[in-house]
Amino acid sequence: MTMKRRSRSWLVLLGAGLAPAFGAACSEAPRPSPAGNAVAAPEVLDALGPDARKQRRVDYVARFPSAADAREHLRSLEARGVRGRILGDRTVHAEGATGAVEGVPAGGGVVVPNVPMRPLPGVDGEAPRTPWGLDDAALDGLLTARDATGVNELRRRVPEADGRSAKVAIFDTGIDFDLPGVSDGGKLEAFVDTTGFGKVTPTTVAAAADGSFPVGPAALRLGSAIAPRAVTGAGVLDEAAQARRVLVAGYDWNRSGASADVIPFLVGVNAEGQPAVWIDLDGSGTIDDRRREELTDFAATGRTVDATAGRGAARAPLAVTVTDGAVQFHTLAQSSSHGSSCATIVAGDGFAGGKLSGMAPKAKLLSYLLDPSGQDVYTMAELMQMFLDARDRGVDAISISYGFARGSLSSARFLADFLDEELASRGVVLGFAVGNSG
């Protein structure tokens, strides 16, 4: 199944209530029976081409009538030495299964290949320029849909209908970290990338006799200003390795002009007791400036540092997610204008010099990165995990500026059923893009 990216999405948020003003709601679609929506194992292999048919090897996701059926299939995979996991309540992701798809019961549910999704080219929306000579009201009417959708009238009658209790996830190219009225002041609650781009697993480290910490062939020192409570691990942000992960020639994390830098870092607990990462962005071998070289979990603190270490003409924000056993760095080296634009439409709170507001300016935002490299290399399982993560974080609505470009009816029904049961039925409003073709 292929998805088309970068189509405009619109949401109207009414206080704590949310209503989609775009797309098609998956929850309204007729729900097919599992048997009528099943795909036979040979058809799945056919969809992957002659090599897959020859090897009888397929990475797939399958949805079952019940959680018990899903667990039973997972047990059958494990018995054959095939790795698998359950997404949601009754969807199984079989990873690199050799012939395992044959074990899906006839009529047991939808089975779709878990192949990387690559979208058809979309049309990027350009940032609007402020028209000369228009007053604020005319500017609002020209650059937002607040009047056309009745939001301005609603706000006049109900001032509290500003999204103040709502959380909206934006599935797109990412939301810029330094965007006034959109990602500042704690408005951007989380930055999530389930593709694993930027993720590094540190190794255990101990200080040498001279107080330095070995990181690969080099060593890092912490200045007295850092004052960590503990240093527990070390690793490197390898630009070339990260580029290979998303199938691009290069990715310049620190804007050095090269894309093969290996940037060392340490992990541990900072002076305030927070999980922290100290990264040697200036290549000096010594980390002695907390403001410029210490990162804490973005979802917990909203902290970023300048990846250029002051070398660049413009600041290039770098953030990190800290989890047990791993860290994941986040930056937007590629254009994130579309994701930032959609976030501004939904919940911008004073942009264009403070003159304009989005549909729900007091709503909180969560950024889900579908496009780390401009290649959109993610799988069905990764996409589904994004939806589940957003649900578990308590979002009220999800804006998805990607739409189906082509694919089988059974694949579309598969995702629709999943979203209907796991999200829409639990009150999450979903809005898919409907394309750029008018």
Side-chain angles (χ1 to χ4, degrees):
M1 180 172 60
T2 305
M3 299 185 77
K4 184 173 181 179
R5 65 187 175 99
R6 300 185 183 178
S7 298
R8 288 275 180 204
S9 294
W10 298 83
L11 281 178
V12 181
L13 286 80
L14 313 179
L18 302 120
F22 60 97
C26 293
S27 58
E28 297 300 319
R31 292 178 59 88
S33 66
N37 200 15
V39 178
E43 293 179 31
V44 175
L45 295 171
D46 288 344
L48 295 178
D51 290 340
R53 289 198 302 273
K54 180 179 178 180
Q55 297 175 16
R56 308 300 285 175
R57 178 181 176 85
V58 58
D59 187 11
Y60 68 90
V61 283
R63 191 150 174 81
F64 294 89
S66 70
D69 292 328
R71 290 193 297 270
E72 178 59 32
H73 184 63
L74 187 63
R75 283 192 289 270
S76 74
L77 294 178
E78 293 170 347
R80 283 176 282 174
V82 176
R83 191 170 74 174
R85 60 186 176 130
I86 292 180
L87 300 172
D89 293 331
R90 57 189 184 91
T91 301
V92 173
H93 174 206
E95 303 179 47
T98 303
V101 70
E102 304 288 356
V104 178
V110 187
V111 181
V112 298
N114 189 44
V115 296
M117 296 181 179
R118 292 180 177 273
L120 298 177
V123 179
D124 278 330
E126 295 184 357
R129 297 182 178 180
T130 303
W132 183 259
L134 292 180
D135 61 21
D136 290 355
L139 191 63
D140 183 277
L142 179 65
L143 299 183
T144 78
R146 292 167 60 88
D147 262 336
T149 55
V151 170
N152 284 339
E153 176 59 28
L154 174 69
R155 289 290 307 282
R156 281 189 285 271
R157 292 187 287 108
V158 187
E160 297 81 9
D162 56 8
R164 64 186 59 185
S165 58
K167 292 169 63 172
V168 183
I170 307 293
F171 282 32
D172 211 289
T173 61
I175 300 173
D176 284 302
F177 290 105
D178 288 349
L179 191 60
V182 177
S183 55
D184 58 356
K187 189 175 183 68
L188 182 59
E189 285 197 352
F191 192 96
V192 182
D193 178 2
T194 63
T195 69
F197 184 57
K199 182 173 283 189
V200 182
T201 302
T203 57
T204 303
V205 69
D210 64 357
S212 66
F213 295 89
V215 185
L220 282 181
R221 296 178 181 275
L222 295 179
S224 59
I226 303 301
R229 295 190 184 182
V231 176
T232 58
V236 295
L237 178 58
D238 185 329
E239 290 184 336
Q242 292 298 329
R244 288 193 295 272
R245 172 171 271 173
V246 290
L247 308 182
V248 294
Y251 202 95
D252 187 6
W253 282 78
N254 60 359
R255 317 305 197 271
S256 67
S259 54
D261 293 330
V262 178
I263 309 167
F265 65 87
L266 299 171
V267 298
V269 180
N270 68 8
E272 289 74 38
Q274 301 165 321
V277 175
W278 300 279
I279 184 165
D280 186 24
L281 290 167
D282 62 9
S284 67
T286 299
I287 297 171
D288 54 11
D289 188 336
R290 296 187 66 189
R291 182 179 58 85
R292 297 177 60 161
E293 298 173 295
E294 180 179 292
L295 283 164
T296 48
D297 185 76
F298 181 80
T301 66
R303 179 166 174 73
T304 65
V305 298
D306 181 6
T308 74
R311 295 186 306 267
R315 189 175 189 271
L318 177 70
V320 72
T321 296
V322 182
T323 57
D324 292 338
V327 297
Q328 186 174 14
F329 294 97
H330 307 294
T331 190
L332 294 173
Q334 304 292 332
S335 172
S336 62
S337 60
H338 193 277
S340 294
S341 177
C342 289
T344 303
I345 290 169
V346 171
D349 190 10
F351 55 99
K355 296 179 179 179
L356 298 178
S357 295
M359 296 291 190
K362 301 305 179 185
K364 297 287 189 178
L365 291 167
L366 295 88
S367 177
Y368 282 78
L369 185 63
L370 294 177
D371 199 1
S373 64
Q375 299 297 309
D376 300 88
V377 181
Y378 54 94
T379 63
M380 172 69 84
E382 288 166 343
L383 181 64
M384 294 165 76
Q385 189 58 52
M386 291 183 204
F387 282 110
L388 293 172
D389 184 89
R391 180 201 68 187
D392 293 344
R393 290 176 187 262
V395 303
D396 299 287
I398 304 175
S399 170
I400 311 133
S401 287
Y402 284 55
F404 294 104
R406 61 177 180 265
S408 66
L409 179 59
S410 59
S411 294
R413 284 176 171 169
F414 173 86
L415 187 57
D417 275 356
F418 177 83
L419 295 175
D420 194 15
E421 179 171 326
E422 299 290 347
L423 286 96
S425 65
R426 305 185 190 197
V428 180
V429 175
L430 298 161
F432 278 89
V434 294
N436 294 314
S437 303

